[in-house]
Amino acid sequence: MAVDLAPDPDVADVARRTATFIRETVIPVEEEQHGVARSEEVRTTLQQAAKEAGVFAPHVAREYGGLGLDMRGRAAVFEEAGYSLLGPLALNIAAPDEGNTHMLEAIATDEQKARYLRPLAAGEVRSCFAMTEPAPGAGSDPSALTTRATRTADGWRIDGHKWFITGADGAGFAICMARTSGQPGEAGGATMFLVDGDNPGMKTVRHIDTLDESLYGGHVELVFDDCVVGEEAILGEVDEGFRYAQVRLGPARMTHCMRWLGIARRAQDIAVARAAERRLFGSRLGELGMVQQMIADNEIDIAASRGLILRACWELDQGGSAAQSTAVAKTFCAEAIWRVVDRAVQICGALGVSGDVLLSRYLREVRPFRIYDGSSETHRWAIARRVLRRHDAEAAR
């Protein structure tokens, strides 16, 4: 049986148009902004340009103004968008909005879709996902959730402390994970709530200073203090929040991989161009064996990452949880993409660590990916547990 990994013709067309849009429209802005968009003017201008180019919101259902691509289709387009740090923002596929859009499409009521999904999909508002808490609260172990929601006469009161909430600055709403039953450490008992950005009970404590800066809206510490919401704010069902979170987590991990793979390709292209042009020791830099090895290793890491992404996306498109394949892909890609960018810096030498090219910015941006969406260590632990459970099940037959 033939194996064809090429995208469908319509997806390939969107990917080609996205690549052109990124190179002609987004990269000049990225270079001008040094890889970090800090104003609504930049965001809205790029998104309007993406709409005019016909590449905006490729992940969103056509009903809500998007292109309706499945996960495999997104892999090709998101990689092209990720060729620039500002590409995902321009296409409205940046975290956390992209993952929240996916979850709202799958879980929200019709009224919630009209109020939250439609403006989010159109880029009229931004959002955040408020789950992570300061230690000893929820982090790599979501069951440690301490934020609590208590029933009131009119709805619910949320009280708790969140931190590292990406995109919270200026978000139109938050999806807040709060415990509605049980105690920290127990596997169930969480509920998702939609909290409007102007709710007086959701307060910003500070912006957290981090290695990376390109995710729009920053990483923010929040406090929910007597934050009152109505019954209509419940996303999904009470006490089912952890189950619903899986709807978001697997696909979101893959879309992170897709976007960062684009940056890995960009770093490789910069390094190859330098190796082809720079002359020293009587020959081109690219003719030196050690440099050739780094270029080859980059190609291997890029190709392997793409293959693992496509395998996981295929499983997701078949309706499976793809827990093992997404964990494997996320762990490998996070480390491989770092290796590619790091080697690109090394090939470019002093130029690579200077501000004359964006490689040093890319290096800072991709390093946290080995921690975000589950650290490499947490994923390895989960991968090994599944392998051992499979062995035990087969041995018991």
Side-chain angles (χ1 to χ4, degrees), residues 179-214:
R179 184 169 289 283
T180 43
S181 67
Q183 299 300 321
E186 296 181 4
T191 302
M192 293 184 183
F193 294 90
L194 291 158
V195 182
D196 292 336
D198 60 359
N199 190 311
M202 183 172 67
K203 304 170 183 176
T204 296
V205 176
R206 64 174 176 131
H207 277 261
I208 301 169
D209 186 20
T210 60
L211 186 67
D212 61 323
E213 298 181 56
S214 70

Short mmCIF file of all heavy atoms in Angstrom, two decimals, residues 179-214:
data_model
loop_
_atom_site.label_atom_id
_atom_site.label_comp_id
_atom_site.label_asym_id
_atom_site.label_seq_id
_atom_site.Cartn_x
_atom_site.Cartn_y
_atom_site.Cartn_z
N ARG A 179 -12.42 23.91 41.44
CA ARG A 179 -12.90 22.69 42.08
C ARG A 179 -14.31 22.92 42.63
O ARG A 179 -14.54 23.86 43.39
CB ARG A 179 -11.95 22.28 43.20
CG ARG A 179 -12.30 20.96 43.87
CD ARG A 179 -11.18 20.47 44.77
NE ARG A 179 -10.03 20.01 44.01
CZ ARG A 179 -9.97 18.84 43.38
NH1 ARG A 179 -11.01 18.02 43.40
NH2 ARG A 179 -8.88 18.49 42.73
N THR A 180 -15.23 22.05 42.23
CA THR A 180 -16.61 22.14 42.71
C THR A 180 -16.96 20.98 43.64
O THR A 180 -18.05 20.96 44.23
CB THR A 180 -17.59 22.16 41.52
OG1 THR A 180 -17.20 21.19 40.54
CG2 THR A 180 -17.60 23.53 40.87
N SER A 181 -16.07 20.02 43.76
CA SER A 181 -16.24 18.94 44.74
C SER A 181 -14.89 18.30 44.99
O SER A 181 -13.94 18.47 44.21
CB SER A 181 -17.25 17.89 44.25
OG SER A 181 -16.74 17.20 43.12
N GLY A 182 -14.80 17.54 46.07
CA GLY A 182 -13.56 16.84 46.38
C GLY A 182 -12.48 17.76 46.93
O GLY A 182 -12.69 18.95 47.17
N GLN A 183 -11.30 17.18 47.09
CA GLN A 183 -10.17 17.88 47.68
C GLN A 183 -8.97 17.83 46.73
O GLN A 183 -8.90 16.97 45.87
CB GLN A 183 -9.79 17.22 49.02
CG GLN A 183 -10.89 17.25 50.06
CD GLN A 183 -11.30 18.67 50.43
OE1 GLN A 183 -10.46 19.57 50.52
NE2 GLN A 183 -12.60 18.88 50.62
N PRO A 184 -8.03 18.78 46.89
CA PRO A 184 -6.83 18.75 46.07
C PRO A 184 -6.15 17.38 46.13
O PRO A 184 -6.01 16.80 47.20
CB PRO A 184 -5.95 19.84 46.69
CG PRO A 184 -6.93 20.80 47.28
CD PRO A 184 -8.06 19.96 47.79
N GLY A 185 -5.78 16.89 44.97
CA GLY A 185 -5.18 15.57 44.87
C GLY A 185 -6.14 14.51 44.36
O GLY A 185 -5.71 13.45 43.91
N GLU A 186 -7.44 14.81 44.41
CA GLU A 186 -8.43 13.88 43.90
C GLU A 186 -8.63 14.10 42.40
O GLU A 186 -8.59 15.23 41.92
CB GLU A 186 -9.75 14.04 44.65
CG GLU A 186 -9.63 13.68 46.12
CD GLU A 186 -10.95 13.81 46.87
OE1 GLU A 186 -11.98 14.10 46.23
OE2 GLU A 186 -10.93 13.62 48.10
N ALA A 187 -8.89 13.03 41.69
CA ALA A 187 -8.88 13.09 40.22
C ALA A 187 -10.06 13.84 39.63
O ALA A 187 -9.97 14.39 38.54
CB ALA A 187 -8.84 11.68 39.66
N GLY A 188 -11.20 13.86 40.28
CA GLY A 188 -12.39 14.51 39.74
C GLY A 188 -12.72 15.80 40.46
O GLY A 188 -11.93 16.34 41.23
N GLY A 189 -13.93 16.30 40.17
CA GLY A 189 -14.45 17.42 40.94
C GLY A 189 -14.12 18.80 40.41
O GLY A 189 -14.28 19.79 41.13
N ALA A 190 -13.65 18.91 39.15
CA ALA A 190 -13.34 20.23 38.59
C ALA A 190 -14.42 20.64 37.60
O ALA A 190 -15.02 19.80 36.93
CB ALA A 190 -11.99 20.22 37.90
N THR A 191 -14.63 21.95 37.50
CA THR A 191 -15.61 22.50 36.57
C THR A 191 -14.99 23.70 35.87
O THR A 191 -14.23 24.45 36.48
CB THR A 191 -16.90 22.93 37.30
OG1 THR A 191 -17.45 21.79 37.99
CG2 THR A 191 -17.93 23.48 36.34
N MET A 192 -15.33 23.88 34.59
CA MET A 192 -14.87 25.04 33.83
C MET A 192 -15.94 26.13 33.86
O MET A 192 -17.12 25.84 33.67
CB MET A 192 -14.56 24.66 32.39
CG MET A 192 -13.38 23.75 32.23
SD MET A 192 -13.04 23.45 30.47
CE MET A 192 -11.68 22.28 30.62
N PHE A 193 -15.48 27.36 34.07
CA PHE A 193 -16.38 28.51 34.10
C PHE A 193 -15.89 29.57 33.12
O PHE A 193 -14.69 29.83 33.02
CB PHE A 193 -16.43 29.12 35.51
CG PHE A 193 -17.05 28.25 36.55
CD1 PHE A 193 -16.27 27.36 37.28
CD2 PHE A 193 -18.41 28.31 36.80
CE1 PHE A 193 -16.84 26.54 38.26
CE2 PHE A 193 -18.99 27.50 37.77
CZ PHE A 193 -18.21 26.61 38.50
N LEU A 194 -16.83 30.19 32.42
CA LEU A 194 -16.54 31.32 31.55
C LEU A 194 -16.68 32.59 32.37
O LEU A 194 -17.76 32.89 32.90
CB LEU A 194 -17.51 31.33 30.37
CG LEU A 194 -17.31 30.19 29.36
CD1 LEU A 194 -18.58 29.95 28.56
CD2 LEU A 194 -16.15 30.49 28.44
N VAL A 195 -15.58 33.33 32.49
CA VAL A 195 -15.55 34.53 33.31
C VAL A 195 -15.21 35.73 32.43
O VAL A 195 -14.14 35.76 31.81
CB VAL A 195 -14.52 34.42 34.46
CG1 VAL A 195 -14.54 35.67 35.34
CG2 VAL A 195 -14.79 33.16 35.30
N ASP A 196 -16.10 36.70 32.37
CA ASP A 196 -15.85 37.89 31.55
C ASP A 196 -14.66 38.67 32.08
O ASP A 196 -14.43 38.74 33.30
CB ASP A 196 -17.08 38.79 31.53
CG ASP A 196 -18.25 38.16 30.78
OD1 ASP A 196 -18.00 37.29 29.91
OD2 ASP A 196 -19.41 38.51 31.07
N GLY A 197 -13.92 39.26 31.17
CA GLY A 197 -12.71 39.99 31.55
C GLY A 197 -12.95 41.16 32.47
O GLY A 197 -12.05 41.56 33.21
N ASP A 198 -14.15 41.74 32.44
CA ASP A 198 -14.44 42.88 33.30
C ASP A 198 -15.09 42.49 34.62
O ASP A 198 -15.55 43.35 35.37
CB ASP A 198 -15.32 43.89 32.57
CG ASP A 198 -16.66 43.31 32.13
OD1 ASP A 198 -16.91 42.10 32.39
OD2 ASP A 198 -17.46 44.04 31.53
N ASN A 199 -15.12 41.19 34.94
CA ASN A 199 -15.67 40.75 36.22
C ASN A 199 -14.78 41.29 37.34
O ASN A 199 -13.58 41.01 37.36
CB ASN A 199 -15.72 39.22 36.27
CG ASN A 199 -16.49 38.70 37.47
OD1 ASN A 199 -16.26 39.11 38.60
ND2 ASN A 199 -17.39 37.76 37.22
N PRO A 200 -15.34 42.06 38.29
CA PRO A 200 -14.51 42.67 39.34
C PRO A 200 -13.85 41.65 40.26
O PRO A 200 -12.90 41.99 40.97
CB PRO A 200 -15.49 43.56 40.10
CG PRO A 200 -16.84 42.98 39.81
CD PRO A 200 -16.76 42.44 38.41
N GLY A 201 -14.33 40.42 40.24
CA GLY A 201 -13.74 39.40 41.09
C GLY A 201 -12.52 38.72 40.50
O GLY A 201 -11.88 37.91 41.18
N MET A 202 -12.17 39.02 39.25
CA MET A 202 -10.96 38.49 38.62
C MET A 202 -9.95 39.63 38.51
O MET A 202 -10.15 40.58 37.76
CB MET A 202 -11.27 37.91 37.24
CG MET A 202 -10.06 37.27 36.57
SD MET A 202 -10.45 36.37 35.02
CE MET A 202 -10.93 37.73 33.94
N LYS A 203 -8.88 39.53 39.28
CA LYS A 203 -7.94 40.65 39.42
C LYS A 203 -6.53 40.24 39.01
O LYS A 203 -6.06 39.16 39.35
CB LYS A 203 -7.93 41.14 40.87
CG LYS A 203 -9.31 41.54 41.39
CD LYS A 203 -9.30 41.79 42.88
CE LYS A 203 -10.70 42.11 43.38
NZ LYS A 203 -10.76 42.26 44.85
N THR A 204 -5.86 41.13 38.29
CA THR A 204 -4.47 40.91 37.89
C THR A 204 -3.55 41.28 39.03
O THR A 204 -3.65 42.38 39.60
CB THR A 204 -4.12 41.75 36.66
OG1 THR A 204 -4.91 41.31 35.55
CG2 THR A 204 -2.65 41.62 36.31
N VAL A 205 -2.65 40.37 39.39
CA VAL A 205 -1.66 40.64 40.43
C VAL A 205 -0.40 41.24 39.82
O VAL A 205 0.11 42.26 40.28
CB VAL A 205 -1.31 39.34 41.19
CG1 VAL A 205 -0.19 39.59 42.22
CG2 VAL A 205 -2.55 38.78 41.88
N ARG A 206 0.09 40.62 38.75
CA ARG A 206 1.32 41.09 38.12
C ARG A 206 1.54 40.37 36.81
O ARG A 206 0.96 39.32 36.54
CB ARG A 206 2.53 40.85 39.03
CG ARG A 206 2.78 39.36 39.28
CD ARG A 206 4.05 39.10 40.05
NE ARG A 206 4.20 37.67 40.35
CZ ARG A 206 5.30 36.97 40.13
NH1 ARG A 206 6.37 37.54 39.63
NH2 ARG A 206 5.35 35.69 40.44
N HIS A 207 2.44 40.94 36.00
CA HIS A 207 2.98 40.26 34.83
C HIS A 207 4.24 39.53 35.28
O HIS A 207 5.11 40.11 35.93
CB HIS A 207 3.33 41.27 33.74
CG HIS A 207 2.17 41.68 32.90
ND1 HIS A 207 1.91 41.14 31.67
CD2 HIS A 207 1.17 42.56 33.14
CE1 HIS A 207 0.82 41.68 31.16
NE2 HIS A 207 0.35 42.55 32.04
N ILE A 208 4.33 38.27 34.92
CA ILE A 208 5.50 37.47 35.30
C ILE A 208 6.60 37.67 34.26
O ILE A 208 6.37 37.53 33.06
CB ILE A 208 5.12 35.98 35.40
CG1 ILE A 208 4.00 35.80 36.45
CG2 ILE A 208 6.32 35.13 35.76
CD1 ILE A 208 3.36 34.43 36.44
N ASP A 209 7.77 38.03 34.72
CA ASP A 209 8.92 38.21 33.83
C ASP A 209 9.43 36.84 33.42
O ASP A 209 9.79 36.01 34.26
CB ASP A 209 10.01 38.99 34.58
CG ASP A 209 11.19 39.34 33.68
OD1 ASP A 209 11.01 39.34 32.45
OD2 ASP A 209 12.28 39.62 34.21
N THR A 210 9.45 36.55 32.12
CA THR A 210 9.80 35.22 31.63
C THR A 210 10.84 35.29 30.52
O THR A 210 11.07 36.34 29.93
CB THR A 210 8.57 34.48 31.09
OG1 THR A 210 8.00 35.23 30.00
CG2 THR A 210 7.52 34.29 32.17
N LEU A 211 11.43 34.13 30.24
CA LEU A 211 12.43 34.02 29.19
C LEU A 211 11.83 34.36 27.83
O LEU A 211 12.45 35.02 27.00
CB LEU A 211 12.97 32.58 29.18
CG LEU A 211 14.14 32.25 28.27
CD1 LEU A 211 15.39 32.97 28.72
CD2 LEU A 211 14.38 30.74 28.26
N ASP A 212 10.60 33.90 27.59
CA ASP A 212 9.93 34.15 26.32
C ASP A 212 9.04 35.39 26.42
O ASP A 212 8.58 35.74 27.50
CB ASP A 212 9.09 32.94 25.90
CG ASP A 212 8.00 32.62 26.92
OD1 ASP A 212 8.25 32.77 28.12
OD2 ASP A 212 6.90 32.23 26.51
N GLU A 213 8.81 36.04 25.27
CA GLU A 213 8.01 37.26 25.26
C GLU A 213 7.01 37.32 24.11
O GLU A 213 6.23 38.27 24.03
CB GLU A 213 8.92 38.50 25.18
CG GLU A 213 9.87 38.67 26.35
CD GLU A 213 10.72 39.93 26.18
OE1 GLU A 213 10.14 41.02 26.02
OE2 GLU A 213 11.96 39.81 26.18
N SER A 214 7.02 36.34 23.22
CA SER A 214 6.26 36.50 21.99
C SER A 214 4.78 36.15 22.12
O SER A 214 3.98 36.51 21.25
CB SER A 214 6.88 35.66 20.86
OG SER A 214 6.70 34.28 21.10
#
